[in-house]
Amino acid sequence: KRSKYYKVKFENVYQLVKMRDVLVKKGFAYVHESAVDAIVMTEFRAKLSKNLGLAAKRWNAFVESDERTRLVPVINSLRTKELGRSDYGSDNANGGPSGTGIVLNKELQRLAEESFPLCAKNLFKAVKHEHHLRHEGRRQLQLYLKGIGLPLEEALVFFKTEFTKKPGCNNEKFEKDYAYGVRHSYGKEGKRVDYTPHSCMKCIAANPSKGEYHGCPFKTFSEEALGAALSQMKIEPSKVTDIVKKAKNKHYQL
């Protein structure tokens, strides 16, 4: 059976190009029919995001007060509705602070401070400070958050909230350039693989460049930076010294 391929401008399927899921030739990407839904959804989400923003600006001018009274509860119920339960874990899972297997955005800051391993803590701190992560950093953090029970919709909200704080990245750009990657990490795009969080060995094998935050901090941090990070985690000074020494001797997992 012959497969169908669609010829589109490569910039319109930026995420597919980045994931190496398409053939690129002379400025065009050849997309397999199984991935066409990604093109449609990306375009739809970008336009939807743009027009929702316009609708929000025009709300007071065009919606009558009695209609607002009727619509506001509906909108609020949609905004606060728990989504994505089936994306990771199950209703009866024991994970997550609430015991439901689900972690919510509002819990991430506390969990990052109290429970995240140093690699995830470093990525979380970077995205909060820089409002951006390069591809490998995004991938590592997305899979970690998926692993601890953050649903897909919550992850999309988290990354969208942070990335759109950076000048030049509005809702439309996020939907076009980054949303696909989040959904791909959750197995909802491309080959729809149920990816697992990076293992320690995979993190240790990474060699991040300047401006990148993925990988293993026990390998990538200087002695001073590692010592400071461990001290902030309220680890006893004697143990900090011992850990830094082991890291210096390339014993990153001891």
Side-chain angles (χ1 to χ4, degrees), residues 10 12 35 41 59-60 74 110 112 118 126 149 210 215-216 230-231:
F10 81 92
N12 292 338
M41 285 191 291
W59 173 269
N60 290 328
V74 177
R110 177 178 60 80
L118 190 55
K210 184 178 181 181
C216 174
L230 294 172
S231 296

Side-chain angles (χ1 to χ4, degrees), residues 97-116:
S98 61
T100 64
I102 299 296
V103 171
L104 303 177
N105 275 319
K106 63 184 180 181
E107 300 169 304
L108 288 180
Q109 184 65 49
R110 177 178 60 80
L111 290 174
E113 294 171 359
E114 297 178 356
S115 309
F116 280 18

Side-chain angles (χ1 to χ4, degrees), residues 23-120:
L23 170 68
V24 178
K25 187 176 181 181
K26 295 183 179 180
F28 289 92
Y30 293 83
V31 183
H32 189 263
E33 58 185 336
S34 64
V36 169
D37 59 341
I39 303 174
V40 176
M41 285 191 291
T42 297
E43 188 67 20
F44 171 75
R45 288 173 183 271
K47 290 185 181 296
L48 178 63
S49 180
K50 179 180 179 180
N51 285 288
L52 283 174
L54 291 173
K57 292 179 181 178
R58 297 174 181 175
W59 173 269
N60 290 328
F62 291 94
V63 180
E64 298 292 339
S65 59
D66 57 339
E67 280 295 285
R68 279 181 233 156
T69 302
R70 181 178 68 85
L71 292 173
V72 165
V74 177
I75 294 171
N76 284 339
S77 69
L78 291 173
R79 183 167 61 88
T80 58
K81 183 179 180 182
E82 184 176 319
L83 299 172
R85 180 173 293 274
S86 62
D87 289 317
Y88 191 86
S90 64
D91 290 355
N92 297 320
N94 296 320
S98 61
T100 64
I102 299 296
V103 171
L104 303 177
N105 275 319
K106 63 184 180 181
E107 300 169 304
L108 288 180
Q109 184 65 49
R110 177 178 60 80
L111 290 174
E113 294 171 359
E114 297 178 356
S115 309
F116 280 18
L118 190 55
C119 54

Side-chain angles (χ1 to χ4, degrees), residues 138-150:
R138 294 197 301 272
R139 185 71 165 176
Q140 185 175 330
L141 182 57
Q142 286 161 9
L143 291 178
Y144 176 78
L145 294 177
K146 175 190 174 187
I148 66 172
L150 187 74

Side-chain angles (χ1 to χ4, degrees), residues 87-226:
D87 289 317
Y88 191 86
S90 64
D91 290 355
N92 297 320
N94 296 320
S98 61
T100 64
I102 299 296
V103 171
L104 303 177
N105 275 319
K106 63 184 180 181
E107 300 169 304
L108 288 180
Q109 184 65 49
R110 177 178 60 80
L111 290 174
E113 294 171 359
E114 297 178 356
S115 309
F116 280 18
L118 190 55
C119 54
K121 191 186 294 286
N122 184 46
L123 287 164
F124 188 83
K125 181 179 178 181
V127 77
K128 284 286 187 177
H129 183 262
E130 303 287 342
H131 306 303
H132 186 265
L133 286 172
R134 295 183 186 176
H135 173 70
E136 292 298 334
R138 294 197 301 272
R139 185 71 165 176
Q140 185 175 330
L141 182 57
Q142 286 161 9
L143 291 178
Y144 176 78
L145 294 177
K146 175 190 174 187
I148 66 172
L150 187 74
L152 172 58
E153 293 298 332
E154 290 281 306
L156 284 166
V157 170
F158 170 73
F159 283 100
K160 186 174 186 178
T161 300
E162 293 303 326
F163 276 43
T164 53
K165 290 178 182 178
K166 189 177 181 69
C169 184
N170 55 22
N171 291 343
E172 187 174 3
K173 180 176 175 60
F174 177 85
E175 292 294 342
K176 187 174 183 179
D177 292 350
Y178 302 112
Y180 177 92
V182 181
R183 295 194 297 272
H184 191 280
S185 291
Y186 276 73
K188 302 301 181 183
E189 299 285 6
K191 297 178 181 178
R192 300 181 182 272
V193 176
D194 184 17
Y195 297 101
T196 58
H198 288 356
S199 66
C200 282
M201 290 308 300
K202 185 175 179 65
C203 293
I204 291 170
N207 292 297
S209 303
K210 184 178 181 181
E212 295 183 306
Y213 299 92
H214 62 284
C216 174
F218 294 99
K219 174 186 175 183
T220 60
F221 279 18
S222 67
E223 292 181 41
E224 294 76 13
L226 180 57

